[in-house]
Amino acid sequence: MIDVAKAAGVSKSTVSLVLRGNTGVKAETVEKVNLAIGELGYVYNRDAAGLRNKESNLVAIVANDLANPYLAQVIIALEGQLEQQGFMPIVVNINESVARQTAMVASLKEHNVAGFFITPAPKTEAAWLQALADASSPVVCLMRDVEGANVPTVMPDNRLGMYLSTRYLIGLGHRRIAFIGGVESISDYQERKQGFMRAMEEAELSVETGDIEPSSTKRQGGKIALNRVLDRAPDITAIVCFTDVVAYGAYTALRERGLTPGKDIAVVGFDDLEDSRLMSPALTTVRVSAEDIALMACERLQQWRENQKVPESALVGVELVIRSSCCSVGK
């Protein structure tokens, strides 16, 4: 199979997909592989391959919270990528529970899954994650990093995204800006907070202790967090939110206080969910491509399986999408 792959100019896994009749391979690629097979006189022994590999085509997607609409977008894109590569995805929800994560992964291992995509629950230990991963069942973390675990992570450039949104608000004249939402014990919260702080420090703007308010990532969390911030600091003129969903909760809190988002207080989200452009006012946010995350994650799974070594992590690019939820100071 390696000889066929070299002759055809494709990967060994692509040759395997063609031999198994996978429909996700391009017609021209199938033609090249079959031509190389004919020239080399290769005969695929399916019985021997089954005895040798005993491979499963199941890949587990361990989701921290399926109620998170952005994660759902990533999983949908991931399922499409895996199916093209001949894998059958299995999705399980751990609901941000380390105990459930441990139990579900142990059960999945009994089914000899070919790999894991995991968005780690808060307080996931590096030693547990690293012990799970090997060449026969690679592990790729999605959206969150676990410090000290030697496994690849695919996630947005969180620092840059929050830096761009905060700097944009500063450019509009805002000087008192709050950061709301997110759970302190997870890596993406810390990274987005660092991006916020960097922009504020570069502009020589002070950040009071009460200007940063963690919360759950639900709408209710955003509503509670914004109310707490404004109770302490009613002179806040702009809010950067951990996610779009947190921003939706902030919209509700503002209206209940008789304030108008985008007019009285500027609001920025993170993720660019489909509903964000339909909000009133349309939400300014940081766009992250779910398709890019899925593609890069699948590439790393395949690299690990093919090269028998841990691939590098990847940062997915971000883009600030400016809509009408941000106003200049005094307008």
Side-chain angles (χ1 to χ4, degrees):
M1 287 178 64
I2 293 172
D3 293 337
V4 171
K6 288 180 179 178
V10 299
S11 68
K12 180 184 172 184
S13 62
T14 299
V15 175
S16 178
L17 291 174
V18 173
L19 290 169
R20 287 182 289 171
N22 185 273
T23 58
V25 183
K26 293 181 179 178
E28 55 265 35
T29 302
V30 174
E31 185 178 351
K32 286 195 299 181
V33 170
N34 285 330
L35 181 62
I37 287 171
E39 291 175 347
L40 295 174
Y42 174 71
V43 177
Y44 182 49
N45 188 323
R46 296 181 187 274
D47 290 338
L51 289 170
R52 179 180 68 250
N53 295 326
K54 293 184 179 177
E55 286 187 345
S56 167
N57 71 335
L58 301 177
V59 172
I61 302 173
V62 183
N64 64 301
D65 180 11
L66 282 177
N68 181 323
Y70 183 74
L71 182 61
Q73 289 182 14
V74 171
I75 290 173
I76 290 169
L78 197 56
E79 286 179 322
Q81 289 289 333
L82 289 169
E83 288 167 2
Q84 288 180 25
Q85 296 177 16
F87 292 109
M88 175 66 70
I90 302 174
V91 182
V92 297
N93 183 35
I94 58 173
N95 199 28
E96 299 286 28
S97 166
V98 169
R100 180 170 171 79
Q101 175 178 267
T102 303
M104 294 302 296
V105 166
S107 179
L108 289 164
K109 286 182 69 176
E110 295 175 4
H111 294 278
N112 191 32
V113 296
F116 291 87
F117 294 101
I118 300 179
T119 305
K123 300 182 181 179
T124 296
E125 294 183 356
W128 175 84
L129 196 57
Q130 194 159 333
L132 172 65
D134 58 41
S136 62
S137 60
V139 174
V140 179
C141 285
L142 299 173
M143 313 302 291
R144 295 176 179 174
D145 183 40
V146 176
E147 187 176 358
N150 186 30
V151 299
T153 301
V154 178
M155 59 186 177
D157 193 337
N158 291 304
R159 295 181 182 87
L160 177 61
M162 196 59 77
Y163 171 80
L164 291 175
S165 61
T166 307
R167 190 176 67 173
Y168 173 68
L169 290 170
I170 293 170
L172 292 176
H174 296 279
R175 294 296 177 265
R176 191 76 189 273
I177 304 170
F179 170 41
I180 67 169
V183 179
E184 291 179 282
S185 60
I186 57 177
S187 63
D188 48 356
Y189 171 84
Q190 295 299 331
E191 291 162 1
R192 293 179 192 185
K193 178 181 174 182
Q194 289 165 12
F196 168 72
M197 294 299 297
R198 175 188 161 200
M200 295 294 282
E201 289 167 1
E202 284 184 1
E204 298 182 346
L205 297 175
S206 62
V207 179
E208 305 297 331
T209 302
D211 296 349
I212 298 177
E213 184 63 40
S215 73
S216 82
T217 55
K218 311 288 186 183
R219 285 193 184 212
Q220 184 68 11
K223 177 182 174 181
I224 291 171
L226 185 128
N227 278 322
R228 287 175 178 170
V229 164
L230 292 184
D231 285 345
R232 290 189 297 255
D235 57 335
I236 292 285
T237 63
I239 306 287
V240 289
C241 301
F242 180 71
T243 63
D244 284 7
V245 173
V246 169
Y248 301 164
Y251 271 35
T252 300
L254 288 171
R255 291 196 168 98
E256 288 180 354
R257 286 173 170 260
L259 300 172
T260 303
K263 181 179 179 182
D264 298 310
I265 292 184
V267 182
V268 182
F270 202 113
D271 288 337
D272 193 25
L273 299 176
E274 291 183 5
D275 285 349
S276 294
R277 71 194 68 185
L278 304 176
M279 297 293 288
S280 180
L283 181 65
T284 297
T285 185
V286 177
R287 177 177 294 159
V288 185
S289 169
E291 290 75 17
D292 286 350
I293 289 176
L295 177 61
M296 292 183 183
C298 284
E299 286 175 349
R300 273 140 191 84
L301 186 79
Q302 287 289 62
Q303 287 169 7
W304 196 337
R305 287 168 57 83
E306 292 177 11
N307 302 328
Q308 303 291 293
K309 64 180 183 180
V310 181
E312 294 182 353
S313 296
L315 281 182
V316 176
V318 296
E319 175 190 0
L320 181 64
V321 181
I322 299 171
R323 299 192 180 107
S324 52
S325 66
C326 293
C327 54
S328 300
V329 172
K331 292 186 179 181

